[in-house]
Every structure is written in C-alpha cells, then in structure tokens.
C-alpha cells in the first residue's frame, strides 16, 4: 500500500490541484474540476495540460500544451503553494504523462487521484493510443484511480463489463498489481441503479448505492466525481466515506442537470455542480418567513393544496389546509420524501430521521399534555391526553424496534441529542402550548397530525411487501392514528370558532410556522452530510 495515503486528520480547507484539459462550455475538464473541488469543500488550483475544443456534442479538437509551459505552470504552483491533493485528468500524450509523473515524484502530495481519461462518455478518444502504456505505468504512482467502464476495459485488456460485479472482478487484479484503490463506476451500465464501488488492493470492496437519473445531461460526471473524491480524501475521509459523499453530491447534481439549459438540447449537457450549495444556502437563510409579515401563501406564485384525505371540520380548518399548498409541494419534492417513497432512501438517512423523530415525540407529547390542561371541555382534555400517551406508548415502540436492529449505540446512526432543527421545532411547540392561547397551541400541533397523515396517505400508495420501509409506511394506514388526526382537526375547528379574529390570525401564523418546521424536519437527514 502506498505510504502517501491521506492521514486521519485532513486539511480543513484542502488545496487541491487539478491537472487536466479544458472545456470551453464549462461541463468537464478543468472547469468541472474547480467547481467540484469547491463544492466538496476545497480550494481549487489549476494546471492545464491541453486546450480542448468541445461542447455538449463532443470533442472537436485537442491542442496539447507545450511541455516547457506545462513545467512552468507546475513551478508556479509548487514554489508557492502547499498542495494537499492532486486530481489528474486528461494527459493527452506520453510526453505529458512523463512530465506529470516526474513533477509529482519531486513534489509528492498526500493524495493523488487519477481519472485516466482515455474515452469520453460521448465515445470520443481523448488519449493517444501510444500513451496508454505510459498511463498504465503511471497508475502505480497514484493512490486512487477512477476509470469509467470503457477505460477499465482498456486498462485490463478485457471486454467492457456489463454488470457492476463484473467490473469489480476486473478491478481487483488491477488494484492488487498496481497497489492502488480502484473506484468502479456504474454510470455506463443499464438498469435503475448506477452504483459505485471501492476496490482496495487487498480485494476488499464496498458498494455505494445510487439510483439512476433519467437524463442525457451527464457531461463531465467522471471529472466531477474524481475531483470531489480527491477533495474529500484530502479532508481526511476514508475512501468509502469520500465515495459516499461524492456519489450523493453527484446524484443531486445530475438530478437537476436538466434545469441548467446549457447547450442546444441535442447533446449531453453539464450537471449542476452548485445545486447542493444553493439548497443549503436557502435552508440556512435567516430571512423572515413571508407569512409572518402578512404574505399568506395563496394565489399566483404559490402551489395549490391537494384535496385532503382527512376533510376539514369547517371553514377555519378548510382555510388552514388551503394555506398548506406550497409547503406540501415543497415537502413532496424533498429528496428524503422521494427516496422514502421509492424505497431508495439510504438507510442511514432514515435511521437519523427516526432517531430525531423519537426525540421529537418525547417533547411533542409534553406539548399535547399541556393542551390537555388548557382544553375548555372534557373531550379536549381527554383527547389531547390520549394523544400525548400515544406518542410514547405506540409510535415510540416502532422507533425502538427499528433502531434496536440498527444499533442504538452507534452515534452515526442514532445521535444521542436533538439536531438544531429538532430542537427548534420542539421548543416552538412547547412554547406555543405553554405561553400562547389555547387556539394558537392547537393550531401549532395540528400539522403533525394532519400534514403528517396526508403525506403518509400519499406515500402508502407506493408501499408493497418488499419495500425497505414497509413497517414505517404501514403506520400511516393505521385507522387509530387517522381517527386521532380527524379528532384533532375537529378540536382545532372548535377552538378557532371560539376565538376572536386577531387570535385566529395568530393561530394561522402558528400553524404555518409548524408546517415549515415539518418541512425542515423531513429535509434535515438529507442536508446533514
């Protein structure tokens, strides 16, 4: 095993050097590398090996950089900057391979990831055939290689693999012979999955699941994955953790590629390297929620609420449901909910959600118990008290059963403390029921009954005996839970009918606050990585 592999403690903001060709349309090569390095948390440096005329349709021309100028680029970087990782892409010819090899021998960084660019996704050959042997020899000087399946076939002298298992079998002798980690990529395969795998020199393998995205806009995926991987390794991640992060990030970038509209639509467009960053930026925004300044989410520009399975109990709850349209649309389009529906959600994400939900229910039950003491009639007192007990006695049982199978002592799967989202949501509920009016309190707790039930009713339409999360989805169809939700809707209607107009306005705000917290609660597992 190479002694230069990343240390346990990586650089907080690693300086990652991309050695590659260019792409004037921004989807691959240096342009993709620098975007990916930034997205993965690093600072990108650049040495250009070739000027490439290419676009979403393919490669039109390649002009290798003069070797003297290539060496001067390296001298500029290494004389001034400490490099924590290198990602190598297009080398174009044997002279360039030799120059890069000699330079990295003299200035050996802790991590070298080599994407042996020989064949583009479009089928274009990007490396001179006489340089293939030089590339094979150079692989032994690196730590990780990330060939696509056609390139893996070239490197091993075998036919292109048709399954991930076949590709892993091809990679094992290569990894052992060259003492290098091979990342096997399933993007060129057919089927619903586009999984990747880590193949260690000792033959150990680990697989990272990824659902295939139905799009033709995948230009630059190889460049992007290897650059993100190099950055995560330089930050101290293991190969498996680095591949897991990079695969998830890349899946999101591919999922939103069609929204970029780069190219004429007839070729293979680029992926959206920045989507995750923009999503997390929006989640971190401290802007005041519009409904708190009087802009209710109704009318043009806002999604319309679907027809609910559980009907409103009167005009006041009907109004609340109408206001739920936009947040409903937001929730149903969350990666977490889409994955939960399809059964493709990573189990660690569900485990995180479930452990947070267990802590949420503990605090939610206290809010319901407080409402029981405030209810103006016996039905309300009994109803809220029974719901409080149900949180602990019934739903928590499923949490314990599921989490027990996963190992409650594992901090990665089952955190021992609430997340910031869970803490904010539960503090809001407890405060709303403890210091606000009864009408505000019941409006605040309603989304966890009503919105939660409606989401569940929508999801169980895709439930089936082999569904990974069938036990959880089954709870959405529980008639006792649905009856509790219906009773809660009725009690909220009664409370709002008895309240004055100003109090109803505050109750509406509390309801919408809780709806947004529900959205954030579902989304938090996906944004934590």
């Amino acid at each position: 095993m190479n002694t230069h592999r990343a240390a346990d403690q990586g650089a907080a903001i690693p300086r990652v050097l991309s050695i590659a060709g260019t792409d004037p349309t921004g989807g691959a090569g240096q342009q993709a590398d620098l975007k990916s390095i930034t997205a993965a948390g690093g600072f990108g440096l650049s040495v250009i090996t070739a000027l490439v005329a290419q676009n979403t349709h393919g490669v039109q021309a390649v002009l290798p950089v003069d070797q003297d100028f290539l060496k001067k680029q390296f001298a500029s970087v290494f004389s001034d900057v400490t490099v924590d990782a290198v990602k190598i892409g297009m080398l174009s010819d044997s002279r360039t391979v030799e120059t890069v090899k000699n330079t990295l021998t003299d200035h050996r960084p802790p991590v070298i990831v080599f994407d042996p660019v020989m064949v583009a996704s479009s089928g274009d050959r990007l490396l001179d055939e006489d340089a293939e042997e030089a590339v094979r020899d150079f692989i032994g000087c690196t730590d990780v290689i990330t060939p696509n399946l056609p390139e893996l076939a070239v490197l091993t002298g075998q036919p292109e693999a048709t399954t991930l298992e076949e590709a892993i079998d091809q990679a094992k002798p290569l990894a052992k012979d060259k003492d290098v980690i091979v990342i096997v990529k399933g993007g060129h395969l057919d089927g619903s999955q586009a999984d990747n795998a880590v193949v260690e020199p000792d033959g150990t393998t680990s697989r990272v699941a990824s659902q295939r995205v139905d799009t033709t806009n995948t230009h630059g995926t190889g460049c992007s994955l290897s650059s993100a991987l190099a950055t995560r390794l330089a930050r101290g991640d293991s190969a498996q953790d680095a591949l897991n992060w990079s695969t998830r990030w890349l899946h999101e970038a591919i999922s939103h590629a069609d929204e970029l509209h780069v190219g004429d639509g007839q070729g293979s467009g680029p992926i959206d390297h920045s989507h995750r960053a923009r999503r997390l930026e929006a989640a971190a925004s401290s802007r005041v929620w519009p409904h708190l300044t009087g802009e209710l989410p109704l009318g043009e520009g806002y999604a319309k609420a679907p027809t609910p399975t559980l009907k409103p109990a009167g005009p006041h709850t009907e109004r609340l449901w109408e206001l739920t349209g936009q947040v409903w649309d937001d929730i149903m389009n969350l990666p977490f909910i889409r994955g939960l529906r399809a059964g493709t959600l990573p189990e660690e994400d569900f485990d995180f959600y479930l452990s947070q939900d267990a802590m949420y229910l503990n605090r939610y039950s206290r809010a319901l118990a407080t409402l029981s003491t405030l209810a103006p009639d016996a039905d309300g007192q009994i109803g809220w008290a029974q719901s409080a007990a149900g949180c602990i006695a019934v739903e928590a049982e499923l949490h314990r059963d599921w989490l027990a199978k996963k190992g409650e002592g594992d901090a990665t799967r089952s955190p021992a403390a609430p997340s910031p989202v869970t803490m904010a949501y539960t503090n809001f509920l407890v405060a709303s029921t403890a210091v606000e009016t009864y009408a505000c309190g019941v409006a605040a707790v309603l989304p966890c009954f009503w919105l939660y039930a409606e989401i569940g009713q929508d999801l169980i339409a895709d439930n089936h005996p082999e569904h990974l999360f069938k036990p959880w989805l089954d709870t959405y169809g529980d008639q006792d839970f649905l009856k509790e939700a219906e009773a809660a809707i009725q009690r909220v209607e009664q409370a709002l009918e008895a309240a004055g107009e100003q109090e109803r306005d505050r109750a509406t705000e509390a309801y919408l606050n809780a709806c947004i917290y529900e959205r954030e609660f579902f989304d938090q597992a996906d944004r934590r990585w």
Side-chain angles (χ1 to χ4, degrees):
M1 184 70 68
N2 283 328
T3 58
H4 296 284
R5 305 221 190 272
D8 290 338
Q9 297 297 322
I13 305 176
R15 295 145 293 193
V16 182
L17 172 62
S18 165
I19 304 172
T22 63
D23 179 359
T25 56
Q30 284 282 353
Q31 285 80 353
D33 288 352
L34 295 176
K35 294 172 188 175
S36 304
I37 291 165
T38 300
F43 180 82
L45 312 168
S46 172
V47 166
I48 295 173
T49 59
L51 302 176
V52 184
Q54 63 175 311
N55 55 23
T56 62
H57 290 274
V59 175
Q60 290 79 50
V62 177
L63 178 63
V65 168
D66 175 80
Q67 294 301 302
D68 287 339
F69 186 71
L70 180 61
K71 293 174 183 177
K72 287 177 181 178
Q73 290 183 78
F74 279 124
S76 295
V77 173
F78 285 107
S79 66
D80 186 39
V81 180
T82 299
V83 176
D84 300 300
V86 165
K87 179 267 173 164
I88 306 166
M90 182 181 184
L91 297 180
S92 75
D93 57 35
S94 57
R95 291 191 307 154
T96 301
V97 174
E98 190 66 20
T99 297
V100 171
K101 179 181 178 181
N102 291 339
T103 300
L104 296 184
T105 298
D106 294 338
H107 305 278
R108 192 24 162 117
V111 176
I112 298 178
V113 175
F114 183 24
D115 184 24
V117 179
M118 298 175 175
V119 185
S121 297
S122 60
D124 294 294
R125 197 169 193 90
L126 301 177
L127 184 67
D128 292 344
E129 291 188 30
D130 63 1
E132 288 180 6
E133 193 58 41
V135 166
R136 288 191 183 92
D137 180 62
F138 181 48
I139 285 172
C141 302
T142 68
D143 300 312
V144 181
I145 62 171
T146 62
N148 60 29
L149 295 188
E151 290 158 353
L152 182 61
V154 171
L155 290 173
T156 60
Q158 299 183 48
E160 185 176 335
T162 57
T163 67
L164 193 70
E165 290 73 19
E166 184 181 349
I168 290 172
D169 288 340
Q170 288 181 358
K172 285 182 178 179
L174 179 63
K176 181 179 180 181
D177 180 56
K178 297 296 185 180
D179 189 28
V180 67
I181 293 173
V182 179
I183 302 299
V184 177
K185 302 182 293 188
H188 280 75
L189 298 172
D190 297 325
S192 61
Q193 291 298 113
D195 299 355
N196 297 321
V198 176
V199 178
E200 303 273 358
D202 64 1
T204 302
T205 64
S206 54
R207 188 162 173 164
V208 176
S210 183
Q211 190 174 24
R212 188 174 302 281
V213 179
D214 183 16
T215 180
T216 59
N217 294 320
T218 56
H219 181 50
T221 51
C223 305
S224 302
L225 179 70
S226 57
S227 298
L229 186 77
T231 306
R232 301 305 297 190
L233 288 170
R235 292 185 62 167
D237 287 1
S238 67
Q240 183 175 0
D241 287 344
L243 182 61
N244 183 56
W245 191 98
S246 302
T247 299
R248 293 181 63 142
W249 164 77
L250 185 63
H251 181 270
E252 179 172 347
I254 297 172
S255 296
H256 296 274
D258 293 355
E259 300 163 18
L260 290 176
H261 304 294
V262 174
D264 62 10
Q266 303 302 309
S268 177
I271 63 175
D272 188 353
H273 298 82
S274 303
H275 190 273
R276 180 175 187 267
R278 295 196 305 274
R279 175 169 62 87
L280 296 185
E281 179 186 20
S285 174
S286 59
R287 293 176 183 171
V288 175
W289 294 335
H291 69 268
L292 294 176
T293 59
E295 183 185 334
L296 294 179
L298 279 176
E300 186 177 353
Y302 289 100
K304 184 179 179 180
T307 301
T309 301
L310 303 179
K311 303 302 181 185
H316 302 298
T317 46
E318 182 175 8
R319 174 70 169 171
L320 292 182
W321 183 253
E322 288 175 351
L323 293 169
T324 311
Q326 186 58 54
V327 76
W328 166 272
D329 190 66
D330 292 344
I331 289 172
M332 300 314 290
N333 283 297
L334 291 175
F336 180 89
I337 294 294
R338 293 202 307 267
L340 188 60
R341 181 194 297 280
T344 58
L345 182 72
E347 284 194 59
E348 62 266 27
D349 284 13
F350 186 73
D351 295 345
F352 178 87
Y353 163 79
L354 208 58
S355 63
Q356 291 300 316
D357 202 28
M359 287 180 271
Y360 166 87
L361 287 172
N362 181 275
R363 296 274 285 171
Y364 185 60
S365 67
R366 299 183 189 186
L368 296 178
T370 300
L371 288 179
S372 175
T373 67
L374 299 175
D377 54 57
D379 286 343
Q381 293 167 8
I382 294 171
W384 295 123
Q386 288 177 336
S387 294
C391 288
I392 303 300
V394 180
E395 294 186 64
E397 182 178 353
L398 180 59
H399 289 73
R400 287 192 296 269
D401 289 346
W402 180 280
L403 293 173
K405 295 175 184 177
K406 301 297 179 181
E408 287 188 277
D410 186 340
T412 301
R413 292 187 175 274
S414 306
S419 71
V421 172
T422 302
M423 192 157 41
Y425 190 9
T426 55
N427 285 348
F428 161 75
L429 291 172
V430 171
S432 295
T433 54
V435 302
E436 299 289 350
T437 65
Y438 177 69
C440 285
V442 296
V445 302
L446 182 59
C448 190
F449 283 101
W450 199 1
L451 184 56
Y452 189 84
E454 296 295 337
I455 293 168
Q457 289 299 296
D458 194 85
L459 292 179
I460 60 174
D462 294 284
N463 199 8
H464 55 81
E466 287 75 40
H467 199 291
L468 180 61
F469 306 110
K470 182 181 184 299
W472 183 250
L473 293 178
D474 284 346
T475 63
Y476 285 117
D478 182 77
Q479 291 303 306
D480 289 339
F481 171 69
L482 295 179
K483 288 179 181 178
E484 271 195 76
E486 287 179 328
I489 296 170
Q490 183 64 48
R491 291 196 292 271
V492 172
E493 181 69 32
Q494 293 170 353
L496 294 180
E497 178 62 30
E501 183 176 353
Q502 187 175 11
E503 189 178 359
R504 280 197 292 267
D505 288 344
R506 287 186 58 79
T508 298
E509 289 182 356
Y511 172 81
L512 290 173
N513 288 344
C515 285
I516 292 174
Y517 276 126
E518 282 286 316
R519 181 191 68 197
E520 301 301 285
F521 193 86
F522 279 119
D523 193 38
Q524 64 175 328
D526 184 64
R527 70 168 78 142
R528 83 190 193 284
W529 58 272

